Amino acid sequence: MAQQKNKTARVAALAAAGGYLFAATTFVPGPSGRHVSAPTVATLSAATMLAPAAHADEIRFAAKKLADESYAFSTQVDWNNGLFMNQPGSFQPLAALKAIDKMIVMGAAADPKLLKAAAEAHHKAIAGALSSPGSGAIAKENWQEINEALGRVIASVPESMVMDVYTSVSAITDPKVPAYLKSLVNGPDAEKAYAAFLDFKDVVKKSQVTAARTPPVLTENPAQAGISSAAKKLSEASYPFLKEVDWLSDIYVKPLPGTTSQQVLKAIDKAIVMGVAMNGDLLSEATAAHHKAIGSIDAKGVTSLQDYEA
């Protein structure tokens, strides 16, 4: 947890990108008698395209239908509401870290090239949101492109990984949140969007992989030969300081004073753009290091020196 601020920044784009789909699962209760595994599409913004071409086309068509049925609902959401910058339930730092870890594991299993494509779709949509200071709504075309990208994301990772994320996020979300969020929009429109979402989920599930991608094992690039030794030196010098920080404080989940939602979104967009420019395999390696570090944290949220260095 000592690196929680960095992890949170990396996951921020993921959370923002999946915001609508997560909202769709929380606004409306599942129809009676129908198995609701809508979370299968709800929580990931790291995208891959491992599905067969035929299924890919099905996802594209399903995304259009979802956009047609849900866009009205999306425009009723006040995306600039500071509510979305707050924790969704009681403060549970270690449980929240567990949820972040599940996101990291799922993201590491995604295809870097498709992650890049999905990130670019979100960057394009954010440009529209920043030009709509009133509600933060985006164009329908962007809405459809994001839904399609997220659908390919979910199809690229095993259902178990997606459900791990959903379950861990649910554990830190107050059960009253769904009803409250639904009260902020037109109920029938939310229900219509949710029904379309379930149909979209069924299409995506048809092409979902059963085995996760194994990230490649990388050797150090000669051009970066000094980074390992520099990281060791930095870690040894800063570890005593790191142990003195209260990583279980709630200050890390509080909005920065005087910061607006649009300013936060702009910062997230910059993080997305930077991520797009990075080497995908190196990002996967970094996520694996964070996952390992989370596994060694103590009761105070401090990871081991070895994992901190990595």
Side-chain angles (χ1 to χ4, degrees), residues 10 112 216 218-219 221 224 278-288:
R10 295 180 184 186
L218 305 177
T219 57
N221 187 321
Q224 301 174 332
M278 290 181 175
N279 180 293
D281 288 333
L282 289 176
L283 283 175
S284 292
E285 185 178 55
T287 59

Side-chain angles (χ1 to χ4, degrees), residues 2 11 17 27 52 59 63 73 92 113 115 119 124 173 185 187 202 211 224 242 258 268 271 273 280 296 299:
V11 174
F27 277 139
I59 290 176
F73 151 76
Q92 305 175 63
K113 292 182 180 179
L115 169 58
K124 181 180 176 181
T173 302
V185 298
D202 289 340
Q224 301 174 332
L242 181 142
I268 290 173
V273 171
S296 70

Side-chain angles (χ1 to χ4, degrees), residues 6-44:
N6 287 335
K7 291 193 294 289
T8 302
R10 295 180 184 186
V11 174
L14 177 149
Y20 154 64
L21 291 177
F22 177 72
T25 66
T26 57
F27 277 139
V28 189
S32 175
R34 183 172 183 179
H35 175 64
V36 181
S37 59
T40 304
V41 194
T43 51
L44 181 65

Side-chain angles (χ1 to χ4, degrees), residues 293-308:
I294 291 173
S296 70
I297 63 169
D298 59 22
K300 295 182 178 180
V302 179
T303 190
S304 68
L305 174 59
Q306 181 181 8
D307 288 338
Y308 175 51

Side-chain angles (χ1 to χ4, degrees), residues 46-171:
T48 61
M49 198 183 285
L50 301 179
H55 283 154
D57 289 339
E58 289 182 18
I59 290 176
R60 182 176 299 113
F61 297 144
K64 183 181 186 307
K65 179 181 177 182
L66 174 58
D68 290 341
E69 298 293 311
S70 64
Y71 187 67
F73 151 76
S74 77
T75 60
Q76 296 165 21
V77 177
D78 180 6
W79 298 105
N80 290 327
N81 192 331
L83 176 70
F84 300 120
M85 293 194 291
N86 294 317
Q87 59 200 37
S90 61
F91 181 59
Q92 305 175 63
L94 295 180
L97 182 61
K98 181 179 179 180
I100 292 173
D101 184 46
K102 296 300 183 182
M103 296 178 191
I104 289 174
V105 170
M106 184 164 64
D111 185 310
K113 292 182 180 179
L114 297 175
L115 169 58
K116 177 179 179 179
E120 289 173 337
H122 287 93
H123 169 58
K124 181 180 176 181
I126 288 174
L130 292 174
S131 66
S132 304
S135 66
I138 62 176
K140 184 178 179 180
E141 177 184 357
N142 296 144
W143 186 255
Q144 178 179 331
E145 290 173 352
I146 286 178
N147 288 332
E148 181 179 340
L150 290 173
R152 299 190 193 287
V153 166
I154 300 305
S156 71
V157 296
E159 182 180 10
S160 60
M161 284 188 173
V162 183
M163 293 308 299
D164 283 344
V165 174
Y166 178 76
T167 301
S168 59
V169 171
S170 295

